[in-house]
Amino acid sequence: MARHFAELTVSEARDKFSDAINRAAFAGDVTYVTRGRNRSRAAAIVPIGLVEEYIELVDEQDARIADERLREIAEGEVEPVPAEEVLRSLKG
């Protein structure tokens, strides 16, 4: 699906919200919502498939990291730290 990109200010996005949603859902378009004088990107209206793919990638990466850490613990490369100790160190 071809992706087109657009930018709308918050006011424009409010006025054209339904159109932006339809473009995301049916055409795969991404609409960045900007704000402020410098029109900084604050949010985006994106096809749900992009979000689902992103979540899947993050989950896969988290699983790889967890597997690696468990392997390191099992092979004695690192010593596990109890959660209570981590909490104490974070509280200072």
Side-chain angles (χ1 to χ4, degrees):
M1 181 180 298
R3 297 217 193 309
H4 294 93
F5 300 90
E7 286 193 4
L8 298 174
T9 65
V10 172
S11 298
E12 292 168 334
R14 181 189 61 231
D15 294 341
K16 299 176 181 180
F17 187 69
S18 181
D19 291 336
I21 294 293
N22 286 333
R23 285 193 313 274
F26 299 114
D29 291 358
V30 174
T31 302
Y32 294 102
V33 181
T34 63
R35 65 179 179 183
R37 290 182 187 204
N38 61 354
R39 295 178 59 111
S40 297
R41 290 179 176 173
I45 300 169
V46 300
I48 191 64
L50 279 179
V51 176
E52 291 168 342
E53 289 172 20
Y54 172 77
I55 290 170
E56 187 175 323
L57 286 172
V58 169
D59 287 347
E60 289 172 4
Q61 183 178 13
D62 287 347
R64 280 194 305 273
I65 292 168
D67 287 344
E68 178 66 18
R69 295 305 166 261
L70 289 172
R71 184 199 59 76
E72 290 172 347
I73 290 168
E75 294 179 4
E77 295 176 19
V78 297
E79 186 70 28
V81 178
E84 297 81 19
E85 187 176 324
V86 172
L87 286 174
R88 276 195 306 277
S89 70
L90 291 174
K91 291 180 181 179

